[in-house]
Amino acid sequence: MSSRRTFIQSAITAAAGFAGASRLLGMNRPRTSGLNNSTSAPVITPDVKDLPFTIENGTKVFQLIAEPVKRKIAPWKTIDCWSFNGSCPGPTIQVNQGDRIRIVLENHLPESTAIHWHGLEIPYAMDGMPYLSQRPIAPGSRLAYEFTVHQNGTFFYHSHSPMQQMMGMVGLFILHPPRAHSPAVDHDFGIVLQEWAVLPSNSVPNTASMEFNWLTFNGVSAPMTTPLLARLGSRVRLRILNLGMDHHPIHLHGHQFVVTGTEGGRAPESTWYPMNTVLVGVAQARVVEFEAKYPGAWMIHCHLPHHMMNSMMDLLSDRQIQTADQTEEKAVGQMMSLAKSVPFEHVHPSPIAANAEKVPGFPQDAFMEMAMDEVVEQPETYGLPKNWSAGMMGMMTMVRVLPEKEYDEILARKKAAGAQTEHGHES
Ligand SMILES: [Cu+2]
């Protein structure tokens, strides 16, 4: 679902100004978002697709397949995770408050599973709790979940087995209100936070580990995360969901936001106050909104220092890396050697002091910056300064607040690149 369509749609809706026109517009749209009104901007989940549906006797019918998949989470790291429909996190489900929906889960995993609809007020039999509300769904079998949604907000679906969760089995479940909340937003983005413990030269996450070396937004670590695009002066909503083992303080640069919702739905305006870091705890969603007032490529990232890094151990393979008695020559030599194996086009050491080697603790971040602009290039990165990717690592993305002309230029490039690059990071 492109931002451009959202904009055109918002503009037309504003001009038309009545629900009938909105419904007409909705009917002309391809059925991927599940929306039938244009008063809510569809949610865009960068690097993750929406789940399509069909309609049978007024019921929206979705098909989910639980299956293993290989997911490239960084240019030099592909992991074996468990997915829905080959997507990790699973495809985003978007429906309207009041919809009758049926979701058929087919289990292609080597073990039993079930799906829990997190936060939804639905009949007990649909709760997805193995042995309690249902029998586990055996490998090769399927089960239909069917219910009417009466809430609106940011919810999610996940396997109720903890280790399957840590293998990646979670997705966003967006319920749109009949009329957009006020103030209406121009851009609406979903971000799923996940953690992985994957040993060097391995591809299977260790779901029993308490120490994580890979941190992802929507299944990819920066700089592979697709930047969010916002028009200068627009109102932006971020729906941030955490299903991992750690809490993540998510920070936005250059702007203040307000928390307008949680995993329980919309928060009353009387509870809003300015912030720029929101703690998203495990199994929580935090919905934040801000006015994109200042042009720039503003970071959105977890502020835990170790969550702002990527593991480089895989690059080392069986080579030794030396961190003691380091000299610039040795350090640069090591980094050049690592970069060749990806390959990165460029190694970008920032300047160091002449006496650096005599300072206890050196080096810390020196030599660790590796620019890979061309490796992760896509329309959304167009126009960023050279070596922009050197400082992008871990749970990190950016919102590019762009003046009209630059915004349109990137949208034109996205259109030209077509659907292929729109989800180009999925493996
Ligand atoms: Cu974090």
Side-chain angles (χ1 to χ4, degrees), residues 177-244:
R179 285 177 192 284
H181 293 298
S182 180
V185 297
D186 306 290
H187 305 279
D188 200 334
F189 297 103
I191 299 175
V192 180
L193 314 178
Q194 290 172 289
E195 303 168 285
W196 312 92
V198 195
L199 289 170
S201 306
N202 277 250
S203 60
V204 180
N206 177 0
T207 56
S209 176
M210 293 292 283
E211 292 181 25
F212 302 94
N213 56 349
W214 287 99
L215 291 298
T216 54
F217 273 180
N218 292 338
V220 283
S221 285
M224 266 185 73
T225 44
T226 299
L228 318 183
L229 304 178
R231 269 186 212 270
L232 181 61
S234 65
R235 187 173 176 87
V236 181
R237 177 184 292 144
L238 308 177
R239 305 170 187 252
I240 309 159
L241 157 67
N242 177 12
L243 197 73

Side-chain angles (χ1 to χ4, degrees), residues 44-49 71-74 79 87-90 92 170 172 189-196 214-228 238-243 246-253 257 278 280 286 288 298-304 307-310 378 392-399 425-426:
I44 293 169
T45 316
D47 303 304
V48 172
K49 290 175 186 164
R71 174 67 148 153
K72 192 181 203 180
I73 60 171
I79 64 171
S87 174
C88 181
T92 297
V170 58
L172 278 165
F189 297 103
I191 299 175
V192 180
L193 314 178
Q194 290 172 289
E195 303 168 285
W196 312 92
W214 287 99
L215 291 298
T216 54
F217 273 180
N218 292 338
V220 283
S221 285
M224 266 185 73
T225 44
T226 299
L228 318 183
L238 308 177
R239 305 170 187 252
I240 309 159
L241 157 67
N242 177 12
L243 197 73
D246 286 311
H247 306 312
H248 301 288
I250 303 296
H251 175 57
L252 168 68
H253 286 205
F257 56 61
V278 63
V280 188
R286 288 292 175 269
V288 304
W298 303 103
M299 292 295 100
I300 300 170
H301 65 94
C302 176
H303 222 299
L304 282 185
H307 295 182
M308 300 167 66
M309 297 181 186
N310 288 333
Q378 51 181 323
M392 298 283 295
M393 285 168 269
M395 272 188 169
M396 193 176 287
T397 187
M398 63 176 84
V399 55
H425 284 332
E426 288 182 54

Side-chain angles (χ1 to χ4, degrees), residues 22 24 30 90 93 117 127 173 180 189 224 252 263-264 266 273 313 323 340 361 376 398 409 416:
S22 303
L24 269 175
I93 298 173
W117 314 98
D127 192 48
F173 198 136
F189 297 103
M224 266 185 73
L252 168 68
E263 68 284 353
R266 184 79 171 174
Y273 52 88
M313 297 307 290
T323 53
K340 274 188 199 131
V376 296
M398 63 176 84
E409 165 74 26

